Amino acid sequence: MLKIDNINVYYGNIHALKGVSLEINEGEIVTLIGANGAGKSTLLKTISGLLKPKDGEILFQDQSIGGKVAQTIVKQGISHVPEGRRVFANMSVEENLELGAYLRKDKKGIKEDFEKVYDLFPRLFERRKQLSGTLSGGEQQMLAMGRALMARPKVLLLDEPSMGLAPLLVKTIFRIIEEINQSESGTTILLIEQNANMALSIADRAYVIETGKIVLAGTPDELNESDQVRLAYLGGY
């Protein structure tokens, strides 16, 4: 469904992504793990059109999207939940969700998706008239995910969904990620997550990125058996 082929991305003179290649098949949860500054967020921003690759190719359903503007990529079916949630603080929960559907014209479908989001996140229904800036961190994360789902994405890009959340909420968020993937629409997910244990527990496949390069790829079981991965990301032996 999504294929990244040998892309290079720069911030000025800094070579942030160095010949990165990866593939995501329809219906999969694929996770990308790595340390801070390894290039994880840069990759998501490049896929979603916020950054342009210098070279290489990004194919979505066999169509090149590398360098296209962000709204075109959303329209084609890729939604991005950014690191830090980025909700519109002075707007209500409901208004934030409406913005997620801003490219859509199908009123009936939008209404149905409001109901689906509220089913997934009952807390958002309770808070629907509340200003999103007054929500807790966990509620803002739910809102950021709900807002992305309002675009009816085929692929959902999730950047550090557990960051700053209490352990109990982390489990809830990961359970919901699995529900989104296993739902009727079967949304394909690319997950970036520093909590490597949690990410590998729900992923079909995983990649490890270090200093802008993919250094390992495999199933969660294969990565769990790697001494390199266990030492660096899974709390040792």
Side-chain angles (χ1 to χ4, degrees):
M1 179 167 262
L2 185 64
K3 183 176 182 180
I4 319 298
D5 188 17
N6 200 33
I7 63 167
N8 288 279
V9 177
Y10 288 79
Y11 290 108
N13 293 322
I14 298 167
H15 196 175
L17 294 180
K18 304 164 186 171
V20 167
S21 297
L22 58 85
E23 290 184 6
I24 301 164
N25 300 312
E26 187 172 355
E28 281 189 313
I29 298 177
V30 173
T31 188
L32 181 67
I33 58 177
N36 273 339
K40 303 188 303 294
S41 294
T42 299
L43 179 60
L44 291 201
K45 288 176 183 174
T46 306
I47 294 169
S48 62
L50 300 173
L51 294 171
K52 290 188 178 181
K54 185 178 181 187
D55 50 39
E57 197 164 33
I58 303 172
L59 295 172
F60 175 55
Q61 295 184 316
D62 295 324
Q63 290 189 344
S64 177
I65 59 168
K68 285 190 176 180
V69 293
Q71 60 262 40
T72 300
I73 291 170
V74 171
K75 202 166 188 175
Q76 283 187 246
I78 298 177
S79 285
H80 185 172
V81 181
E83 183 182 356
R85 292 116 200 183
R86 305 287 179 92
V87 298
F88 296 98
N90 294 321
M91 299 175 75
S92 71
V93 165
E94 202 162 72
E95 288 167 334
N96 269 267
L97 293 175
E98 281 173 2
L99 276 177
Y102 80 103
L103 287 174
R104 294 173 58 184
K105 301 285 187 275
D106 55 319
K107 287 185 180 178
K108 186 184 174 192
I110 291 169
K111 188 183 175 194
E112 286 170 1
D113 286 348
F114 261 109
E115 289 169 7
K116 285 179 186 174
V117 167
Y118 288 145
D119 281 344
L120 272 176
F121 305 106
R123 193 87 56 87
L124 295 183
F125 181 73
E126 294 166 15
R127 307 270 195 274
R128 62 193 183 280
K129 300 299 181 187
Q130 193 170 317
L131 291 182
S132 59
T134 66
L135 300 177
S136 70
E139 289 164 350
Q140 288 190 8
Q141 184 61 52
M142 292 173 190
L143 178 55
M145 290 167 66
R147 182 180 60 191
L149 290 172
M150 289 299 295
R152 276 206 184 167
K154 295 168 187 160
V155 174
L156 186 63
L157 310 177
L158 288 170
D159 195 346
E160 302 285 7
S162 79
M163 184 179 280
L165 302 185
L168 198 61
L169 259 179
V170 171
K171 285 184 179 177
T172 300
I173 291 293
F174 273 82
R175 177 181 53 74
I176 291 167
I177 291 169
E178 285 189 288
E179 278 184 44
I180 292 166
N181 173 251
Q182 292 164 11
S183 67
E184 197 179 317
S185 51
T187 308
T188 303
I189 293 170
L190 174 57
L191 168 67
I192 283 179
E193 181 53 61
Q194 276 200 303
N195 187 334
N197 281 302
M198 285 297 291
L200 290 173
S201 75
I202 66 167
D204 296 296
R205 291 186 302 109
Y207 292 86
V208 178
I209 187 168
E210 290 180 0
T211 59
K213 293 180 182 175
I214 301 290
V215 294
L216 278 172
T219 65
D221 285 345
E222 288 167 344
L223 265 63
N224 275 314
E225 287 168 10
S226 159
D227 291 345
Q228 180 185 349
V229 172
R230 286 214 304 264
L231 197 57
Y233 306 108
L234 302 177
Y237 295 89

